[in-house]
Amino acid sequence: MRSFADAETHFSIVPSGSPPSVDGLAITEPKFLRCSACGAQVRIDGPDETQTTIDDLPHDRQCSQRGVKSRYFEERFVR
């Protein structure tokens, strides 16, 4: 497994892009966490946006970043 902090991993935080009347978020407010390699994304939800992590991304099977996980995930679920 690779760490999300590895220099060769690339992810982006995608802003809402729509007015609050559409999704409740300001146009520039973070809405999705997206993998730059395959485009997989997960919604950043709730008042505690730290609940959305790299570990939640539904990567494509061939994605080069599919094995990227957080240290927490690795310690909790892999070892």
Side-chain angles (χ1 to χ4, degrees):
M1 286 189 187
R2 287 189 344 216
S3 168
F4 69 90
D6 186 318
E8 295 181 11
T9 60
H10 301 282
F11 299 92
S12 59
I13 296 176
V14 181
S16 169
S18 58
S21 60
V22 174
D23 57 14
L25 301 171
I27 291 175
T28 58
E29 198 169 353
K31 184 173 183 177
F32 294 105
L33 177 63
R34 180 180 294 158
C35 172
S36 297
C38 71
Q41 64 183 23
V42 64
R43 173 92 189 244
I44 298 172
D45 279 326
D48 180 10
E49 294 175 355
T50 62
Q51 292 178 355
T52 302
T53 68
I54 298 297
D55 307 316
D56 298 326
L57 286 168
H59 294 281
D60 291 341
R61 286 177 136 335
Q62 296 80 21
C63 181
S64 62
Q65 299 191 124
R66 190 170 185 218
V68 174
K69 300 293 181 193
S70 67
R71 182 180 301 140
Y72 171 81
F73 181 91
E74 188 174 347
E75 290 173 356
R76 175 99 179 177
F77 300 107
V78 179
R79 295 180 185 186

